[in-house]
Amino acid sequence: MFSQSIVAVSTEPTVELFVAQTPGPAERTLLVIHGGPDWDHTYLREPLAQLAGRRRVILADLRGCGRSTRGLADDAYTPAAATGDLTVLLDALNTGDTGDTCDTGPVDVLGFSFGGLIAQRLALAAPERVRRLVVASSSILPVPPGAFDGWPERTRRLAAEAAVWSDPSLSGPELTRAAAFAAAEANVWRPEALPDYLDRLAAVRFTAEWMRPWRAGR
């Protein structure tokens, strides 16, 4: 269903993205940007794989995530850098109608959670490359202070994740993974859907590259 490849998107620093894609018409390309950001794309493969043939679905691990380049300096993990990677990726994968990698056509973009913020940046930085934008389980920054006041159920569901982030015994990918599982009930409110979601999380390749600059306030 998915073909997999490594695509070079930057030389300074050297960055290669792990990319999975389905067959489908180039003029109906859907670029999918995962969340986290210290996750990989795998939890989004289903049900998007069902679009294979009707759409060319492209899922990439952002820099520092999954099987893409890791070990970069903290200042290399920025939304602007991730956006630039995806712009180069679209050229490299020749998503345009002309067959010219320097003249790519517009694509549909689905950004999920943190990926929704990157998708918005991509639409602003390269509007000629984005035909339609779907922002899922995300927001538009900045979120106003008190935006979620008076929502006790949300506060209750987020308590478990907050406890994980404050646990001094956890660090690195172990912390990222534990936080993702602790936040599951906050991310999936339908009890019948939770077991499948937990199965998806179990297969995610968690990292902690973006967590370093985030916790340092960068």
Side-chain angles (χ1 to χ4, degrees):
M1 180 69 70
F2 284 93
S3 61
Q4 300 179 163
S5 61
I6 300 293
V7 180
V9 294
S10 174
T11 56
E12 294 184 5
T14 298
V15 177
E16 296 178 329
L17 300 187
F18 179 85
V19 180
Q21 58 180 311
T22 69
E27 66 273 14
R28 300 200 68 206
T29 295
L30 174 64
L31 172 66
V32 182
I33 309 174
H34 68 82
D38 281 321
W39 298 26
D40 68 4
H41 76 272
T42 53
Y43 72 105
L44 296 174
R45 284 199 178 195
E46 292 292 341
L48 294 173
Q50 298 175 28
L51 297 175
R54 291 178 290 156
R55 283 185 173 271
R56 182 189 188 193
V57 181
I58 299 174
L59 300 104
D61 292 345
L62 298 176
R63 59 169 61 194
C65 303
R67 285 170 277 184
S68 292
T69 297
R70 305 188 197 179
L72 302 173
D74 284 2
D75 60 6
Y77 295 116
T78 67
T83 301
D85 291 345
L86 295 176
T87 302
V88 175
L89 176 66
L90 290 177
D91 285 343
L93 294 180
N94 186 24
T95 56
D97 298 333
T98 65
D100 183 350
T101 58
C102 295
D103 184 21
T104 59
V107 302
D108 298 332
V109 179
L110 165 60
F112 193 88
S113 191
F114 180 79
L117 305 179
I118 301 300
Q120 293 170 60
R121 282 179 168 267
L122 181 61
L124 291 172
E128 73 283 358
R129 287 182 168 90
V130 179
R131 179 173 49 230
R132 298 182 182 89
L133 179 65
V134 181
V135 177
S137 191
S138 189
S139 61
I140 298 175
L141 296 179
V143 178
F148 301 108
D149 287 353
W151 194 353
E153 180 64 10
R154 178 180 183 273
T155 301
R156 184 191 69 78
R157 288 173 179 264
L158 288 173
E161 181 186 11
V164 168
W165 284 113
S166 62
D167 186 344
S169 69
L170 297 172
S171 62
E174 180 186 12
L175 172 56
T176 310
R177 176 181 291 275
F181 275 88
E185 190 183 21
N187 291 327
V188 179
W189 284 43
R190 292 185 297 117
E192 66 275 15
L194 193 57
D196 178 66
Y197 180 70
L198 294 175
D199 286 343
R200 292 169 190 261
L201 287 186
V204 169
R205 296 170 176 83
F206 289 97
T207 61
E209 301 285 293
W210 288 75
M211 181 170 63
R212 295 195 311 269
W214 174 65
R215 300 196 93 178
R218 303 185 66 140

